[in-house]
Amino acid sequence: MKLLNNKIALVTGGSRGIGKSIVLKFAEHGANVIFSYLSSEEKANLVIKECEQYGVRVSAVRSDASNYLSAQKLVDGVLDEYGQIDALVNNAGIAKDNLLIRMTEEDFDSVIATNMKSVFNMTKMVQKSMLKMRKGSIINISSIVGIKGNAGQSNYSASKAGIIGFSKSIALELGSRNIRSNVIAPGYIETEMTGHLDDKAALEWKNNIPLRRGGTPEDVANVALFLASDMSSFITGQVLNVCGGMAT
């Protein structure tokens, strides 16, 4: 059964990692997907090629979600072509980890802008269309460290905690119009972003996970599929931890 048949989905940061997996999962379930990317057109084109097997329309747009005008142009382009956006996934994110004593102002500001302000930009741009339709699903990708915190990630943790507060507020603002706003908080997911960890650090992470393994991007994509579909029609303002039990 295709859970997103004929729906229009917009995903930021969809050329790799979790974002790529969400694009593929949505396309597999019948959605027409537009995703943004910031740097690698080659990677974006490979994602589009992988989606060809599903017989849906998938396209990529180079766009910086942290830039207000760029986000507006992206959303306007999607609405001009498709007329609606049924699901928005705010996934764009970066990490610039360091202890606070060594963290620069630029490292703090860039992480907050990319991870949190992008969520404000995209949600603000999309809400007008969803309000007219009186329906929609907004899915924001946070992190378990936005709940627990983590040494050396004060900027990243702050941005991800901010996403949770923002999402809950939007759920309250837009719920009466049947627009849902939910959060996915991944734990240790094996992607390019975690690939820089050495074997010892990766093992320490996994030993703190009750399921004793790292998650996969598809683990997160499956939850995004649920939240984008009508199966979650009575769920809003919630944080779903995809962490193997780390938050228990």
Side-chain angles (χ1 to χ4, degrees), residues 119-246:
V119 175
F120 163 78
N121 290 342
M122 294 300 298
T123 304
K124 185 171 176 65
M125 300 308 170
V126 164
Q127 72 165 348
K128 184 180 289 187
S129 171
M130 289 184 172
L131 284 167
K132 287 181 180 178
M133 295 192 303
R134 299 187 70 89
K135 65 175 182 176
S137 177
I138 299 165
I139 303 162
N140 297 322
I141 307 300
S142 178
S143 169
I144 202 70
V145 303
I147 298 170
K148 296 181 59 170
N150 192 41
Q153 288 192 304
S154 58
N155 52 356
Y156 188 77
S157 299
S159 70
K160 294 301 187 177
I163 287 171
I164 293 172
F166 178 86
S167 303
K168 287 179 174 288
S169 298
I170 297 306
L172 294 173
E173 287 186 25
L174 303 183
S176 64
R177 296 295 186 93
N178 196 35
I179 299 168
R180 299 180 291 112
S181 172
N182 290 291
V183 178
I184 300 174
Y188 180 86
I189 306 296
E190 294 175 340
T191 65
E192 290 179 30
M193 191 176 283
T194 57
H196 70 281
L197 295 174
D198 59 37
D199 291 342
K200 181 180 179 182
L203 185 60
E204 285 180 6
W205 268 99
K206 292 175 184 178
N207 284 339
N208 289 322
I209 300 172
L211 290 182
R212 293 295 189 270
R213 70 171 179 88
T216 68
E218 189 172 16
D219 289 326
V220 182
N222 286 332
V223 178
L225 172 65
F226 169 68
L227 290 175
S229 76
D230 293 337
M231 292 183 70
S232 58
S233 62
F234 200 51
I235 297 175
T236 193
Q238 302 305 305
V239 181
L240 275 66
N241 298 326
V242 185
C243 63
M246 284 178 65

Side-chain angles (χ1 to χ4, degrees), residues 20-38:
K20 174 184 175 181
S21 191
I22 290 172
V23 171
L24 290 168
K25 184 65 65 175
F26 281 16
E28 179 186 354
H29 279 265
N32 297 307
V33 186
I34 307 89
F35 69 91
S36 70
Y37 67 97
L38 193 56

Side-chain angles (χ1 to χ4, degrees), residues 7-26:
K7 289 185 182 290
I8 310 302
L10 175 57
V11 181
T12 64
S15 64
R16 61 194 177 110
I18 289 172
K20 174 184 175 181
S21 191
I22 290 172
V23 171
L24 290 168
K25 184 65 65 175
F26 281 16

Side-chain angles (χ1 to χ4, degrees), residues 34-115:
I34 307 89
F35 69 91
S36 70
Y37 67 97
L38 193 56
S39 56
S40 177
E41 183 176 3
E42 181 182 1
K43 287 183 178 179
N45 287 333
L46 287 173
V47 176
I48 294 171
K49 188 170 183 61
E50 283 188 61
C51 291
E52 288 178 355
Q53 60 184 307
Y54 301 122
V56 295
R57 295 173 65 187
V58 176
S59 58
V61 179
R62 188 189 295 271
S63 178
D64 180 0
S66 70
N67 180 280
Y68 191 84
L69 294 179
S70 182
Q72 185 173 46
K73 184 177 179 181
L74 171 61
V75 172
D76 286 347
V78 175
L79 293 175
D80 286 345
E81 184 170 357
Y82 291 94
Q84 67 187 66
I85 297 171
D86 298 291
L88 167 67
V89 181
N90 285 309
N91 168 72
I94 60 171
K96 293 188 176 182
D97 299 345
N98 219 329
L99 295 175
L100 181 60
I101 197 168
R102 299 193 191 102
M103 186 176 293
T104 66
E105 182 182 15
E106 181 199 2
D107 286 346
F108 186 87
D109 288 347
S110 62
V111 169
I112 294 295
T114 301
N115 295 2

